[in-house]
Amino acid sequence: MTISTDIAKRVYDHTFKLDPIIRSLLDTDFYKLMMLQMIWGLYRDIRVTFSLINRTRRVRVAEEIDERELRDQLDHARALRFSKKEMIWLAGNTFYGRAQIFDPKFLAWLADFQLPEYELHRVDGQYELHFDGPWTHTTMWEIPALAIINELRSRAALRKYGRFTLDVLYARAKAKLWSKVERLRELPALRISDFGTRRRHGFLWQRWCVEALKEGLGEAFIGTSNVLLAMDSDLEAIGTNAHELPMVLAALAKNDDELRAAPYQVLRDWERYYGGNLLIVLPDTFGTTAFLRDAPEWVADWTGFRPDSAPPIEGGEEIIAWWKQKGRDPREKLLVFSDALDADTIVSTYRHFEGKTRMSFGWGTNLTNDFDCCAPQHDDGLRAISLVCKVTAANGRPAVKLSDNPRKATGTPEEIARYLRVFGGAGRVEREVVV
């Protein structure tokens, strides 16, 4: 039985010299470990740079967060190692119905893992934060770095409030979340998981949200992407793969033909390690329309797709049309929706696709960091921002993400133009990025 922490009391009363945000290397998304095993097996000699990108430029993060506090939290994370208990759990637990999904040799390597060094500067009100080194190491910085910065923003905003204000703020946030849970309970075959680690308000708040969904949604709540919470709460760890895989392979391509083939080479690599419900395609790295246009026939045999940067209904319908064109029955396939979801979009998407295909929802920022209208006055420091940590280079070559939404594109203008020449821009529509 998990005992809930009085979050408001802890925020107000704590006197620790350092209150660590990341207390375990398992405090990350499950897909990081899944991808890491493949990277370790196939690409351990590749050098990759990850960089912090604040897409909400109006928020000057370096003016909200003290640099010394940020360095202390990053340094603390670097001092962590996987515990014996954690390694036993990874080795012995069943994931996606499979025992021993992690190779013993990989786990032996992981037991000595340490996050690599970082480079941090302040530039015009923003932090420039880079992680450069072996891909096997820098990939593991993405989630803890984002969690640290987002929680430091929350802590800075909360310092101005007294104990009773904090009590009311968290009471309102809890009631707000519970009203969403009550709406979602109306969906009879809902399957939903927590995807909220990277932009959470704080670890304790994410844990409260997970516990609330576990009680409030019952079997409809199928798990969490957070590996530590999955272990501690006896939940399924949820997650497959992310944009960094095709971004790195594309950056390494020697010519346009290899660049065009990179998204499908990633899937072949993935198939060497995983199968079944782990065969989920993430199609939007260089545009979903381009991916579907050039996809080999065998891609249609994968379990499902995760449309990530197009609106869920438009993105899902495009994939369903492609399945039908390939002679596959969409009712036997799976769509995993995960981009900027909230109760309204989950309900409308569920209603639209009900009976057309199988569905699952990964609920992220609007689950674990929705404090709008909960403070006694408007407080921008409590509003989630679109902060990401993306691959920016592989073996010294610039990396690119085109996305279905050009506002989410990353890379140098010259390389973005080259990728658009190779993949085309069909289906890409500019939309506001909120989270």
Side-chain angles (χ1 to χ4, degrees):
M1 177 180 178
T2 304
I3 301 175
S4 292
T5 302
D6 184 337
I7 302 174
K9 185 178 188 302
R10 193 173 191 279
V11 168
Y12 185 73
D13 288 346
H14 86 72
T15 57
F16 316 117
K17 183 177 180 181
L18 176 70
D19 186 5
I21 291 172
I22 305 297
R23 295 169 180 256
S24 165
L25 289 175
L26 280 189
D27 188 6
T28 191
D29 281 340
F30 186 56
Y31 71 12
K32 278 294 171 181
L33 295 178
M34 302 292 289
M35 292 190 298
L36 180 59
Q37 177 167 238
M38 190 185 93
I39 294 166
W40 174 83
L42 301 177
Y43 298 104
R44 69 182 71 178
D45 296 327
I46 304 300
R47 190 174 188 90
V48 170
T49 303
F50 282 77
S51 302
L52 182 73
I53 300 170
N54 180 10
R55 297 190 294 218
T56 312
R57 298 298 294 178
R58 62 176 176 77
V59 175
R60 298 168 69 84
V61 175
E63 295 177 2
E64 295 184 340
I65 296 173
D66 179 76
E67 183 177 343
R68 182 70 265 161
E69 285 189 66
L70 176 54
R71 288 186 181 274
D72 286 346
Q73 292 291 345
L74 294 171
D75 290 342
H76 176 80
R78 289 201 67 230
L80 295 172
R81 303 291 186 278
F82 287 99
S83 70
K84 184 176 181 180
K85 170 190 173 183
E86 292 168 345
M87 297 305 301
I88 291 172
W89 182 78
L90 287 173
N93 195 52
T94 299
F95 300 99
Y96 281 81
R98 287 179 53 189
Q100 295 184 323
I101 201 168
F102 295 112
D103 187 308
K105 293 180 181 178
F106 168 69
L107 292 177
W109 173 85
L110 192 67
D112 295 322
F113 180 85
Q114 177 183 6
L115 289 168
E117 295 182 358
Y118 59 88
E119 181 183 339
L120 177 66
H121 305 286
R122 296 165 64 107
V123 179
D124 191 26
Q126 304 292 344
Y127 282 117
E128 286 194 357
L129 180 59
H130 305 284
F131 309 100
D132 179 70
W135 191 8
T136 48
H137 289 68
T138 55
T139 184
M140 290 293 283
W141 256 126
E142 178 187 359
I143 307 302
L146 292 173
I148 285 169
I149 293 171
N150 280 291
E151 185 160 350
L152 285 177
R153 285 192 72 237
S154 299
R155 291 183 182 186
L158 294 172
R159 286 192 184 110
K160 67 172 87 58
Y161 298 128
R163 170 65 194 278
F164 290 99
T165 305
L166 290 170
D167 268 339
V168 171
L169 183 146
Y170 280 108
R172 288 173 176 170
K174 290 176 179 179
K176 186 176 185 181
L177 174 58
W178 197 253
S179 69
K180 297 178 185 181
V181 169
E182 289 176 328
R183 288 193 64 198
L184 296 178
R185 276 204 295 240
E186 299 172 4
L187 307 179
L190 178 68
R191 292 171 56 82
I192 192 166
S193 54
D194 157 45
F195 275 19
T197 299
R198 67 185 60 212
R199 296 198 192 104
R200 67 193 182 197
H201 170 81
F203 174 76
L204 293 178
W205 179 247
Q206 183 184 16
R207 189 175 71 183
W208 190 92
C209 293
V210 165
E211 291 171 359
L213 265 60
K214 188 176 181 182
E215 177 177 323
L217 294 179
E219 292 184 359
F221 182 54
I222 60 173
T224 173
S225 67
N226 187 290
V227 191
L228 180 62
L229 290 175
M231 182 181 74
D232 289 346
S233 303
D234 194 25
L235 289 167
E236 290 289 333
I238 304 292
T240 54
N241 53 73
H243 298 109
E244 70 178 88
L245 297 179
M247 288 177 70
V248 170
L249 265 65
L252 298 175
K254 297 181 179 66
N255 52 54
D256 287 354
D257 288 338
E258 287 190 10
L259 174 58
R260 196 175 291 109
Y264 314 110
Q265 180 59 49
V266 166
L267 302 186
R268 281 300 195 199
D269 290 343
W270 190 260
E271 269 189 318
R272 292 172 62 180
Y273 283 80
Y274 309 111
N277 284 338
L278 288 166
L279 296 181
I280 302 297
V281 181
L282 181 63
D284 70 315
T285 309
F286 310 120
T288 297
T289 300
F291 179 94
L292 296 175
R293 180 193 65 218
D294 297 332
E297 183 75 18
W298 53 264
V299 176
D301 293 324
W302 273 42
T303 302
F305 276 68
R306 179 162 71 94
D308 188 59
S309 56
I313 291 176
E314 288 93 324
E317 284 292 350
E318 184 177 13
I319 293 165
I320 284 178
W322 181 80
W323 276 327
K324 289 180 177 178
Q325 177 191 339
K326 295 293 182 179
R328 277 36 171 212
D329 185 351
R331 293 171 298 180
E332 297 176 357
K333 298 294 185 179
L334 174 66
L335 288 178
V336 181
F337 299 101
S338 61
D339 184 42
L341 299 179
D342 205 354
D344 289 341
T345 49
I346 293 169
V347 170
S348 61
T349 303
Y350 178 96
R351 297 294 189 201
H352 179 87
F353 288 107
E354 189 175 12
K356 296 182 177 181
T357 188
R358 297 159 55 215
M359 286 175 281
S360 178
F361 297 87
W363 196 4
T365 309
N366 289 317
L367 166 65
T368 60
N369 201 355
D370 184 5
F371 280 72
D372 282 0
C373 302
C374 294
Q377 66 276 331
H378 173 78
D379 193 333
D380 213 36
L382 288 174
R383 174 166 288 180
I385 62 174
S386 187
L387 199 68
V388 295
C389 187
K390 290 293 184 183
V391 174
T392 50
N395 280 354
R397 304 176 67 174
V400 169
K401 178 188 174 189
L402 292 180
S403 178
D404 287 330
N405 181 355
R407 292 195 186 185
K408 288 188 171 185
T410 62
T412 65
E414 296 79 15
E415 282 298 289
I416 289 175
R418 175 183 166 233
Y419 278 56
L420 284 172
R421 176 175 57 79
V422 171
F423 292 103
R428 300 175 75 239
V429 178
E430 191 164 306
R431 302 175 181 88
E432 181 183 5
V433 179
V434 180
V435 292

